[in-house]
C-alpha cells in the first residue's frame, strides 16, 4: 500500500520539476535577449512575453531584472566551463598543441551551437552595471585560465612560440568571436570550415 507520505511526495516532486523547467526557460530566454539586445535592451516584460507567463509570475521567481541577469550569467558561466573542461579531459594526456586545438574547437562549439549569440553578449558599448561587472570579470578570468594553463605548458615545453601570451589570447578570442558571426554549423556538416578556423587560430602560438 502506498503511504500518505509517498502520495504527497510525488505531486511535490512533479511541481518542483515544473518550477525548475520554467526557471530554466526564463534564464535561457534572458540570455537570448541579453545576447541580441544587451543589458540595457533587456526588459522583464520581454522575458515574460517570450516565455508566455505573467510578469507577476516572473517576479515570483526573480525579484528583479538584475537577479535574473545574475542567474543567466551564472548559467552561462557554468555551461561554458563545463563544456570546455569536458573537452580538455578528452585530451588530458595529449601534448599542449593538441590540448589547445581541442579547447579552440570546443570554444567554437560553444559560440556556434550551445550559445550562438554569446560572442555578442559582451560586445555592446553600453557598460554593465557595477552589480554585474565584477561577476563578468570573474567569468572571463575563469574562462581564460583554462586556455592560459595550456598555453603556459606549451611555452614551457618549447612547443609554442608566444612572446606575449596575454595578447595572443586576446587575439584568439577576437578570431573566435568574429568567426561565430559567419560560421554556420548547418552549412559545414563535415566541419571543414570549423577545422580551418581552428588551424589558423592555433598558428598564433606555434613556431613560424
Amino acid at each position: 500500500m502506498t503511504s500518505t507520505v509517498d502520495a504527497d511526495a510525488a505531486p511535490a516532486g512533479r511541481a518542483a520539476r515544473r518550477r525548475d523547467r520554467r526557471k530554466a526557460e526564463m534564464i535561457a530566454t534572458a540570455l537570448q535577449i541579453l545576447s541580441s539586445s544587451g543589458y540595457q535592451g533587456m526588459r522583464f516584460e520581454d522575458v515574460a512575453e517570450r516565455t508566455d507567463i505573467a510578469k507577476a509570475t516572473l517576479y515570483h521567481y526573480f525579484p528583479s531584472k538584475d537577479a535574473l541577469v545574475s542567474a543567466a550569467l551564472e548559467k552561462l558561466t557554468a555551461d561554458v566551463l563545463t563544456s570546455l573542461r569536458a573537452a580538455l579531459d578528452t585530451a588530458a594526456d595529449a601534448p599542449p598543441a593538441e590540448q589547445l586545438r581541442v579547447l579552440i574547437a570546443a570554444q567554437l562549439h560553444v559560440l556556434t551551437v550551445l550559445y550562438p549569440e554569446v560572442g555578442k553578449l559582451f560586445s555592446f558599448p553600453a557598460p554593465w552595471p557595477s552589480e554585474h561587472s565584477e561577476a563578468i570579470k570573474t567569468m572571463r578570468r575563469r574562462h581564460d585560465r583554462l586556455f592560459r594553463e595550456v598555453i603556459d605548458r606549451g611555452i614551457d615545453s618549447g612547443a609554442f612560440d608566444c612572446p606575449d601570451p596575454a595578447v595572443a589570447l586576446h587575439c584568439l578570442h577576437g578570431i573566435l568571436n568574429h568567426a561565430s558571426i559567419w560560421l554556420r554549423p548547418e552549412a559545414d556538416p563535415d566541419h571543414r570550415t570549423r577545422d580551418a578556423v581552428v588551424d589558423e587560430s592555433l598558428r598564433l602560438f606555434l613556431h613560424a
Side-chain angles (χ1 to χ4, degrees), residues 11-206:
R14 287 195 295 270
R17 289 193 293 273
R18 283 197 299 270
R19 287 194 299 270
D20 289 344
R21 285 195 298 268
R22 175 161 284 190
K23 187 174 182 179
E25 184 181 2
M26 295 171 188
I27 290 173
T29 300
L31 275 173
Q32 292 172 2
I33 297 175
L34 283 169
S35 298
S36 61
S37 304
Y39 175 85
Q40 303 299 335
M42 178 188 153
R43 302 185 308 161
F44 244 32
E45 293 85 347
D46 296 332
V47 177
E49 181 178 353
R50 291 196 191 185
T51 52
D52 195 27
I53 61 172
K55 187 176 177 181
T57 303
L58 184 57
Y59 274 112
H60 176 72
Y61 286 85
F62 300 99
S64 67
K65 168 183 171 177
D66 284 319
L68 176 54
V69 170
S70 293
L73 292 176
E74 289 173 7
K75 169 67 172 172
L76 176 63
T77 301
D79 284 359
V80 170
L81 291 178
T82 296
S83 180
L84 293 179
R85 286 175 180 143
L88 191 56
D89 284 345
T90 66
D93 298 323
E98 180 58 25
Q99 289 182 339
L100 186 56
R101 180 188 299 277
V102 166
L103 270 182
I104 293 172
Q107 180 71 14
L108 269 180
H109 182 74
V110 167
L111 292 169
T112 59
V113 178
L114 294 184
Y115 290 105
E117 300 296 330
V118 76
K120 302 176 183 178
L121 186 55
F122 304 115
S123 301
F124 288 91
W128 286 77
S130 57
E131 180 175 348
H132 303 295
S133 59
E134 190 56 39
I136 291 172
K137 289 177 183 177
T138 299
M139 173 186 177
R140 286 171 170 160
R141 284 194 295 266
R142 293 172 63 191
H143 174 272
D144 286 355
R145 191 178 301 127
L146 287 175
F147 283 83
R148 187 60 186 264
E149 288 173 355
V150 174
I151 292 168
D152 287 344
R153 285 198 295 271
I155 293 172
D156 292 342
S157 69
F160 294 164
D161 179 18
C162 188
D164 194 327
V167 170
L169 189 53
H170 279 301
C171 291
L172 171 62
H173 291 322
I175 291 171
L176 299 182
N177 287 340
H178 183 71
S180 71
I181 297 174
W182 55 266
L183 184 60
R184 293 289 176 267
E186 65 275 10
D188 186 37
D190 54 5
H191 305 305
R192 289 184 182 178
T193 304
R194 185 206 66 182
D195 291 345
V197 173
V198 173
D199 289 341
E200 292 303 317
S201 300
L202 196 58
R203 290 179 187 273
L204 287 167
F205 305 92
L206 299 177

